[in-house]
Amino acid sequence: MNYYDPRVRRQLALYVNALSSFCMKGQMAYSLANKMHMVFENKTRLRNALELWGSDDQHSIRPTLQWLFDTGLRKEFQDYRMLLSGLTERERSRYLQELPEKERRTNRMRVANYYLTRLPMEGIAAFDHSWCVYLCCAGYHLGYLTEDDQWRIAAMSLSDARKSYSTWNEYLISYAAGADFFDASPSLDYVKNYNGFLIKLLTGAESPLAGLNLR
């Protein structure tokens, strides 16, 4: 992708908004998703997003973005999924019951078990892709990254997303699973709390996903 071409940048900007929109939270999530240009102007919101990942300055943001692009949460999820898939259903049940309660690893293992056969091969990579794009844009607007950094990272993340998922529906399920995995929420709180938001992203006429295809 030649992201130096103005026409390519205009198209890429639409996908930047689309991928970043998944990261919106709160009661106004869908409204924010439809106004990503305003989100990128809100420096407080952008700083909060970076602080969530411990990347609140120009020195810490690059390693975080590199990790999200290269490895991300998808590696831990895949490790758990491989472990669990090697067990019979009875063995998995016993294994999960014997894990220590109220530990982050235990909760994430249970999320991985729930989504064991519900996700594409790439697992929760969508969560990494969306946050990589959103954080690189936040970094640019806060002055931590150059404009070239922003477009380059966004273009590479979009390319990987398109290789991993063929539809927004696949992408959305992957992102939701990743959000519950990130929060270590075995009760699937993200999916419960944001089901309406996710449906609107897929079906809303004003959704940033409208008119865009992953393939």
Side-chain angles (χ1 to χ4, degrees), residues 38-89:
M38 294 179 63
V39 172
F40 291 133
E41 292 173 359
N42 188 326
K43 295 189 184 304
T44 298
R45 182 175 292 276
L46 298 181
R47 289 193 185 94
N48 289 340
L50 288 171
E51 287 174 2
L52 179 66
W53 292 86
S55 304
D56 53 356
D57 59 43
Q58 60 184 336
H59 303 294
S60 57
I61 187 173
R62 290 181 184 276
T64 297
L65 292 172
Q66 192 68 55
W67 177 78
L68 282 168
F69 184 78
D70 291 337
T71 306
L73 277 181
R74 60 191 180 276
K75 173 62 166 60
E76 183 181 350
F77 180 88
Q78 290 290 64
D79 288 345
Y80 293 170
R81 188 157 73 165
M82 288 183 64
L83 185 157
L84 293 169
S85 63
L87 304 175
T88 65
E89 186 173 347

Side-chain angles (χ1 to χ4, degrees), residues 147-164:
E147 185 178 13
D148 184 67
D149 287 331
Q150 175 192 227
W151 291 116
R152 176 176 53 82
I153 295 168
M156 292 191 303
S157 296
L158 173 60
S159 177
D160 275 9
R162 288 178 133 169
K163 291 175 184 175
S164 301

Side-chain angles (χ1 to χ4, degrees), residues 9-42:
R9 284 200 180 188
R10 284 194 292 273
Q11 184 71 4
L12 178 56
L14 296 177
Y15 282 96
V16 164
N17 290 344
L19 267 61
S20 297
S21 69
F22 284 88
C23 303
M24 299 300 99
K25 299 191 75 173
Q27 294 182 341
M28 302 295 291
Y30 185 65
S31 178
L32 292 170
N34 292 335
K35 301 178 178 67
M36 289 305 301
H37 64 287
M38 294 179 63
V39 172
F40 291 133
E41 292 173 359
N42 188 326

